[in-house]
Amino acid sequence: AHHVIDPATSAPSNSGVLTATVIASDAATAEVFATSAMMLSGTAAVAMLDGLGLAGLVITDDGHVHRTATLKDYES
């Protein structure tokens, strides 16, 4: 269990997401959407980030790495 609490259940989120990283123009925005991504499935989290034009990645408990379409702009 981790520290992100699902408001619907008042229990730690059980979305299957282990970690989420978001690249945004400021730290507060990145934090808000990384935390939001922790509440969704990996696919839904990336869809949310893509829809907002944010870059990031989400790793699920099965080891899958989900990447946004724009993450490649930050990879070398």
Side-chain angles (χ1 to χ4, degrees):
H2 52 75
H3 71 284
V4 179
I5 303 299
D6 183 341
T9 64
S10 298
S13 176
N14 191 20
S15 67
V17 171
L18 293 178
T19 186
T21 301
V22 175
I23 300 170
S25 60
D26 61 275
T29 300
E31 176 65 21
V32 166
F33 288 105
T35 301
S36 297
M38 297 288 297
M39 306 297 290
L40 304 170
S41 69
T43 303
V46 167
M48 173 191 68
L49 296 172
D50 278 334
L52 294 166
L54 295 171
L57 61 86
V58 175
I59 301 173
T60 53
D61 56 9
D62 63 359
H64 188 85
V65 179
H66 303 263
R67 301 176 192 284
T68 61
T70 57
L71 184 62
K72 67 184 179 318
D73 298 339
Y74 298 92
E75 296 176 320
S76 54

